[in-house]
Amino acid sequence: MTVIFNFLNGFLSNINLLTGDWGISIIVLTAIVKIAMVPLSINQKKSSAQQKAMAEKMDELKKKYEGEKENLQDEMAKLSMEGAGSLLGIFASLVQIPVMYTLYRVFSSMPAEIGSAIVPWVASIRLNDPYYIVPILSAGVQLLPGIAASIGLLKNSGRPKMSPAAMIVPAAVSILFLAKAPVTIGIYWITSGFLGFLEQLIFSLVEKKSENTAGGLAN
């Protein structure tokens, strides 16, 4: 963790030499890290979708072989072998956790006591937002995936449709947390959340296009 921290901290300083703005530097570094981890994230999304499909197939098998214990066990074993590979994507995605946590630590410990052009109403990005604009924006970003899933934009993302209450709770928690957190963390949360949403949206659109192409070829 220390090695990752030192690397990201040094990288942030080098980016700031180019941008001259710590707020923009946070956005750039977060984007670079998120893009670098896209392959792992895509694997995780594919694995989640496969696990969901497997659960549906298992339910179908239970209904089909109800009362036929041996046949059910054989079919379940075959299905489990097919889905074994999908677990690798989920395990691989765990690599993202220490990286993103370390990135959080880097932004939490930034020594810069200056403002940023992207949050001109805040005197220092080490302080919390006195007008709660950053926490509210973060809450809005938190709501995007749930809203998109509810209207069917995130099909095959592995994210289930959420009730309004289930969407509002994380957003409210985000506001409460960021209300007293440094603006550096708010910028990080907004950037990371928005890029994550774009990634989910693009993945869903690509999967939908692949399905339509496969359906057209089948016909």
Side-chain angles (χ1 to χ4, degrees):
M1 294 290 283
T2 302
V3 173
I4 299 175
F5 178 89
N6 291 337
F7 172 76
L8 292 176
N9 197 41
F11 198 7
L12 178 64
S13 297
N14 289 330
I15 292 172
N16 189 61
L17 291 176
L18 297 174
T19 65
D21 187 300
W22 284 106
I24 296 174
S25 299
I26 291 172
I27 294 174
V28 172
L29 180 56
T30 303
I32 290 173
V33 172
K34 291 286 286 185
I35 291 171
M37 293 194 298
V38 162
L40 291 175
S41 184
I42 294 299
N43 283 337
Q44 187 273 330
K45 287 178 174 60
K46 288 182 177 179
S47 296
S48 296
Q50 289 170 1
Q51 290 295 312
K52 182 181 178 181
M54 276 189 62
E56 293 174 353
K57 289 180 180 179
M58 285 183 177
D59 289 338
E60 292 175 2
L61 288 175
K62 288 176 183 178
K63 293 178 182 178
K64 182 178 180 180
Y65 294 101
E66 186 176 1
E68 302 177 38
K69 187 176 180 180
E70 291 185 5
N71 289 335
L72 178 60
Q73 288 178 340
D74 290 341
E75 293 298 322
M76 284 290 195
K78 293 177 184 177
L79 189 60
S80 296
M81 290 296 292
E82 292 177 10
S86 66
L87 293 175
L88 296 177
I90 295 176
F91 292 143
S93 69
L94 295 176
V95 175
Q96 300 177 72
I97 297 176
V99 175
M100 299 309 290
Y101 172 70
T102 304
L103 200 59
Y104 171 87
R105 285 183 55 213
V106 168
F107 297 145
S108 297
S109 59
M110 284 177 60
E113 294 288 349
I114 56 176
S116 169
I118 61 174
V119 283
W121 61 90
V122 181
S124 169
I125 56 176
R126 287 287 298 152
L127 301 175
N128 62 302
D129 184 344
Y131 302 109
Y132 305 106
I133 297 173
V134 171
I136 292 171
L137 287 175
S138 178
V141 171
Q142 290 278 327
L143 290 171
L144 286 177
I147 294 172
S150 297
I151 61 178
L153 284 179
L154 294 183
K155 184 180 178 182
N156 297 327
S157 68
R159 175 185 283 269
K161 291 184 178 181
M162 301 173 67
S163 65
M167 290 190 289
I168 291 173
V169 170
V173 171
S174 175
I175 292 177
L176 291 174
F177 173 72
L178 293 177
K180 297 299 181 182
V183 171
T184 53
I185 300 304
I187 296 172
Y188 163 61
W189 273 37
I190 292 171
T191 305
S192 180
F194 185 69
L195 291 175
F197 168 69
L198 285 181
E199 181 186 301
Q200 286 183 324
L201 184 59
I202 293 171
F203 174 79
S204 181
L205 293 175
V206 170
E207 287 293 296
K208 184 177 181 180
K209 184 178 180 180
S210 298
E211 286 182 358
N212 292 338
T213 302
L217 292 174
N219 294 331

